[in-house]
Amino acid sequence: MLRWTITFIILALIAGVFGFGGIAAGAASIAKILFFIFIVLFIISLITGRKRI
């Protein structure tokens, strides 16, 4: 699950660079969506992650 969150944050950062840099206008909205997916997956992985006592 952590690999997916890392993958989504990297994709969001790349899309953000392209979108906010003016290269592609549609990439900015994709970056926002991927960023929120990353946040959700990150929170889920924190909650359901390995619990060490």
Side-chain angles (χ1 to χ4, degrees), residues 12-33:
L13 289 174
I14 291 171
V17 167
F18 287 138
F20 299 127
I23 294 175
S29 61
I30 294 171
K32 290 178 187 176
I33 293 169

Side-chain angles (χ1 to χ4, degrees), residues 35-49:
F35 180 75
F36 287 119
I37 290 173
F38 161 73
I39 294 296
V40 169
L41 288 177
F42 180 71
I43 291 172
I44 290 172
S45 66
L46 283 178
I47 293 171
T48 63

